[in-house]
Amino acid sequence: MSTTLSSNTLLNEILSLPVLELVATCANLALLLVFLIVIFSRKVLVNVASVGYGNKDDIASNGSTVSPRLVDAEEHEVRISAWFKLSVLSCLYVLLVQLVVLGFDVVALVQGKGNLSVILLPVAQVLAWIVLSFLALHCKAERCDRFPFLLRVWWSASFVICLFTLYVDGRGFWEEGYKHLQSHVAANLAATPALAFLCFVAARGVTGIEVCGDSEAREPLLAEEESGCLKVTPYSEAGIFSLATLSWLNQILSLGARRPLELKDIPLVARKDRSKTNYKILNSNWERLKAENPSGRPSLAWALLRSFWKEAAWNAIFAGLTTLVSYVGPYMISYFVDYLSGKQSYPSEGYVLAGIFFVAKLVETFTTRQWYLGVDIMGMHVRSALTAMVYRKGLRLSSLAKQSHTSGEIVNYMAVDVQRVGDYSWYLHDMWMLPMQIVLALLILYKNVGIAAFATLVATIISIAVTVPVTRIQEDYQDKLMAAKDERMRKTSECLRNMRILKLQAWEDRYETKLEEMRGVEFRWLRKALYSQACITFIFWSSPIFVSAVTFATCILLGGELTAGGVLSALATFRILQEPLRNFPDLFSTMAQTKVSIDRLSCFLLEEELQEDATIVLPNGISNVAVEIKDGVFSWDPLSSSRPTLSGIQMKAEKGMCVAVCGMVGSGKSSFLSCILGEIPKISGEVRLCGSSAYLARALYQDADIYLLDDPFSAVDAHTGSELFREYILTALANKTVIYVTHQVEFLPAADLILVLKEGSIIQAGKYDDLLQAGTDFNALVSAHHEAIEALDIPSLSSGDSEEHLSLNGLVMSSKKSICSANHIDDLAKELQEGSSTSDQKAIKEKKKTKRSRKKQLVQEEERVRGRISMKVYLSYMAAAYKGLLIPLIIIAQTLFQFLQIASNWWMAWANPQTEGDLPKVSPAELLVVYMALAFGSSGFIFIKSILVATFGLGAAQKLFLKMLRSVFHAPMSFFDSTPAGRILNRVSVDQSVVDLDIPFRLGGFASTTIQLIGMVGVMTEVTWQVLLLVIPMGVACLWMQKYYMASSRELVRIVSIQKSPIINLFAESIAGASTIRGFGQEKRFMKRNLYLLDCFARPFFCSLAAIEWLCLRMELLSTFVFAFCMVLLVSFPHGSIDPSMAGLAVTYGLNLNARLSRWILSFCKLENKIISIERIYQYSQIPSEAPAIIEDFRPPPSWPEHGTIEIIDLKVRYKENLPMVLHGVSCTFPGGKKIGIVGRTGSGKSTLIQALFRLIEPSSGRILIDNIDISHIGLHDLRSHLSIIPQEPTLFEGTIRGNLDPLEEHSDQHIWEALHKSQLGDIIREKDQKLDTPVLENGDNWSVGQRQLVSLGRALLKQSKILVLDEATASVDTATDNLIQKIIRDEFKDCTVCTIAHRIPTVRDSDLVLVLSDGRVAEFDTPSRLLEDKSSMFLKLVTEYSSRSSGIPDF
């Protein structure tokens, strides 16, 4: 009976519901039933089909029964449009609204405020929208192009019911007012926009899912992409839910939690996120702007905006939503305090308020994360596109423009300026968001404090205005800091490139001091920048305090009545207003910095490029003339040079011709090749090429039509040079056009045309015999060469042999036509050939194989620490400045700031009346004085903390830099051989910038956030201790998630740092070798390589960005639920059981709990990620050092060495422990004051012996004694500073001639001029306007190779050491200059021990002793005359071979 009664009661309650609710419930349940019937029917049909075909395999094998969508699933790419995503998002939004309503109704039912019929409609709605959301998402899995009919009917019906309900509710509000407000009414109102959109979608019917062939998508972006990395990030195909929750990242994080991530584990970025895509977009817009404004200066900022405005617009939507919902809490606090004070406007008001707070924080959480990830991705796009543009520009810079932008500066453009422009995406929307935030804040304040809100506006304007001059000062400091950093990076790059020379000359200490001085200049600007930043930080934190004090004071003075609710609402508003007040100056500062960077980049991108009309390139086969120059006038510096580099150039080379270019040092030979390549600016004339061209010795590997060779044979021995010339020039390139510069006169007879250059003009042109008969300069060159050959005094040979040697006619000239026709040569040359074709050639091949193996093994993959960052790294940083004494002071200052902040807020909440009409607890004056004392006291401590953080950061940064610099400069040469310069540059630029400008404030920010979070939780638990029941588990969950996240994030950041180095390395190498790249026409290949490396960097970088947002989202969701729990507790307590003011204060702090918690975790994670820069610097601060520069107990006498006797005893040398020996027990003695010639085949160990003498390589065993002092017992500086060397590769440093000759400033101008005259450079330098201060560009590019070698000779003449080493020092000069240099050395170093390594045998003709090395062993060591008398002598073979080649090249 009771059951029947209760059933009747329930039925009556249901029937008593409003008609529209009944209709909505019935409609939803009916459509739900239809859905279930359809699903059941499909199951039945499938079972029937399976019976008909026998089994499921038959179904699968029958094409007619399988959905074509499933067949094509793996063969087509699915593109999801925003249309479909919005449809699914609308369904999920309505479902969320219905869930909230159901939650409120269930709570009301539990409290006995309703009956079961109340929850009937929410239950039906929730079930319906679960099904609707599932159907919408299922369309993606099925790849449907239209939504199902049932789904469209359901959406339409829901919207129609919604419209009728809106009408009825509108009438209810009109008649009853707020009494009509219920949860169902609010839900219907909230769901209306989404339902309207879904109704429109239903009418349209299209899903927005596009299925298309993905052959293009499956194709790798570049050939370099390895097969293991072809998987594209799940982000590109993620659904709405996955995007909102960032769950697409779960797979990578799960893998990272199990083991350290590698690059191969990280998927490729989506096509739209790749560097190539973004580069093309930006470059096309930039070129369009340049075309639209050819005379003016196009705006790079406008090009960026035109390229990425869509991304910016999407981010603006999320940013706007975040801003709007962030003000819901401050607006509602006063209502919440009124409710707790007993003012209740409608039933369940407390729960409605709690729900509003909760939903607002929930929406804020999701939109914030999407906004932040969006700006990060946009910044990544901007950086990759700009980097590609800077790289492309670097490859095209003209020679004149390159003088203004060194490779170090260009690396800085990429490493610093591009980074800064990309980071501006974070501040892009602040320009309109900050005013919007201020307006919203003023509206809320007007509601709470009335007319005093105008005082807030005035105070806000004053606060912003105060920061303007400080910002300008900051901009100026940033400019100066960047300029100083550019200079340091330029000099650092130069030192790293030429470290071998610095060590050989014992100059590393001097150049290390130079870098320290340059860092000192940079540090002075850094100190000003950081202290000004500390002042700005003080202004940031003080501005809200100043604004609040002015507002409350104005309100009190105007007689306004403050209540606890109004004050708490105002305080919460001030807390949010703190962001725009703090960000406005930061925005101006960032805008200023970004403008500087954009101006620098724009200036660079607008620099002059190589002349496109410098050469006219015609397709091969159009003309028989391969190279033609008409009336050519060229100059490296056309603006200031009064005399052109090349003038009156007339030249024509037909297809298949072999053209030789010769002349004295500085005559313009290399410039002549440059004019053909289009490298040197053309003033007038015409250069015409027919076919493709290739430049330098590696040109043989290119199938080109024209080959340009700049003396590639000078660095090898005579036999190897002859073989190369025979096999290379005369055989492999027999049918090609070859133009080669050479100082080897012996190669000239084989040329079809010889060009003789002098002072930038072609003074003679013709064939060998014709030029000889004409006499003049060419005859002088050849005569000097023959004099050198005759001086060799080779034992006489038979007349027939000598005739063959002296034969110049017929054999050479017919060689091009009959290459393989062999002519007889002397028996000795035959013996040499036979020998070299067996044992010698085999030894050379083995040696080359060993060298290749060593080269392959020397440069290893960049080292990377795995796992947690060692606590030693943290401690080393904290102890780097003032032994860590400032750290506790920073914490104390921050704690006092937070304590006084809470105290000031508590005072205002406690002292003011709870509701209007209540009496205040203190007088207005006392209220204001105490508040201002507490508030401004807190700002004083934040100023102290900011100054302490800046001081600590400066000290630590400088100490770490100097420690790393000294470690690098004292590293052994093997370190530089095995470490690309890009890795070191990455640390001294990018990582050092992080330590300079980022880490100290990250550390201070983490301390600040930690203490703020503790304060918030403390305030909340003081009011509702029950919050601890959730706070403690939440803390455990946060720490677990942070640990889970950090396992992957840490490795991702390390991979990011490692992937940055190849980009910098490629930049530096490409800029330095741009002419070679252009000469081969390989710009596109290198551009692709750059784009590939950028994408390799973007892969871990993108995942790292997303991982941060993944963690923050979960942190904020946890804290949002804790906040919601706190709110429910507060409204559930009986009225009067808690102080409303204190409850309101707790809510005020709770509003920021989610943001503060995520910021705390985020600040810690970012700090740990940034600390990796310190970890990387720490690695290079602990490089194993070479031997000490000075050993006080074993210092040689100042006059050492007095005699210059060198004793080598059983010397064994290898380059690394795991590599084979290079020198095998070498023993010999070089008497003091004698001239020692060191000869041997290429790879015989000659240069290795010299490296051992200078201790660039430490021997495995054996000893070297100089004047009876074991060089391994003395300091390296004492050793190297007493030796002189003229190296094989002449190196000049950027600066002046004086600085290159005497960098230690030890000699007077008179001595320098004497050295210049002796080295044949005196007249050249005197012709220059600036004399000894004549500038030298980077790499000495404004001086010829021969002139650079003469400068090296000048250094040796100045140094006047007792031991001089010439390591193939005259390879780059002509024979006449070589003879002159040898004469100078004989005269100036007659009492010195001179060790000469030479491939030109005449160079060692007057040596007292000759050391012949073969395969790392001493083959012979005797006087030249004795060795030449010995018919079996290896030296005789080398001499004969050189003589054979030089006397007419009979076998050519």
Side-chain angles (χ1 to χ4, degrees), residues 1189-1214:
I1190 294 173
I1191 302 175
E1192 291 295 342
D1193 296 337
F1194 294 95
R1195 297 206 68 175
S1199 59
W1200 178 86
E1202 295 180 1
H1203 305 291
T1205 302
I1206 303 173
E1207 297 177 64
I1208 303 172
I1209 305 170
D1210 193 25
L1211 188 67
K1212 296 179 181 178
V1213 174
R1214 56 160 50 101

Side-chain angles (χ1 to χ4, degrees), residues 767-828:
K767 292 190 176 181
Y768 186 82
D769 287 342
D770 298 336
L771 295 178
L772 271 181
Q773 294 173 6
T776 65
D777 292 74
F778 181 74
N779 197 17
L781 283 173
V782 176
S783 299
H785 174 70
H786 285 306
E787 288 174 9
I789 297 298
E790 290 168 4
L792 286 174
D793 193 21
I794 305 172
S796 60
L797 304 171
S798 65
S799 59
D801 290 338
S802 66
E803 285 176 5
E804 291 178 9
H805 279 301
L806 298 174
S807 174
L808 296 173
N809 300 318
L811 296 175
V812 174
M813 296 307 150
S814 63
S815 61
K816 297 279 282 189
K817 300 176 182 177
S818 172
I819 296 165
C820 298
S821 60
N823 291 291
H824 295 290
I825 58 173
D826 57 277
D827 296 336
L828 197 56

Side-chain angles (χ1 to χ4, degrees), residues 984-1037:
I984 307 174
L985 290 174
N986 196 9
R987 283 166 170 81
V988 299
S989 61
V990 178
D991 291 318
Q992 187 62 45
S993 292
V994 170
V995 175
D996 286 345
L997 300 167
D998 207 347
I999 289 183
F1001 295 105
R1002 293 277 181 199
L1003 191 64
F1006 174 67
S1008 170
T1009 311
T1010 303
I1011 294 168
Q1012 285 179 351
L1013 187 63
I1014 293 171
M1016 284 181 179
V1017 174
V1019 170
M1020 293 175 69
T1021 53
E1022 173 66 23
V1023 178
T1024 53
W1025 64 266
Q1026 294 89 345
V1027 170
L1028 287 174
L1029 298 175
L1030 277 186
V1031 167
I1032 294 174
M1034 180 192 72
V1036 173

Side-chain angles (χ1 to χ4, degrees), residues 94-112:
V94 178
L95 174 59
L96 177 64
V97 170
Q98 301 302 335
L99 282 170
V100 172
V101 173
L102 180 61
F104 275 111
D105 289 349
V106 169
V107 171
L109 185 65
V110 171
Q111 293 179 342

Side-chain angles (χ1 to χ4, degrees), residues 874-884 952 955-957 959-960:
Y874 285 97
L875 295 176
S876 70
Y877 178 68
M878 289 190 286
Y882 308 100
K883 298 182 180 180
F952 168 80
K959 187 171 182 180
L960 287 174

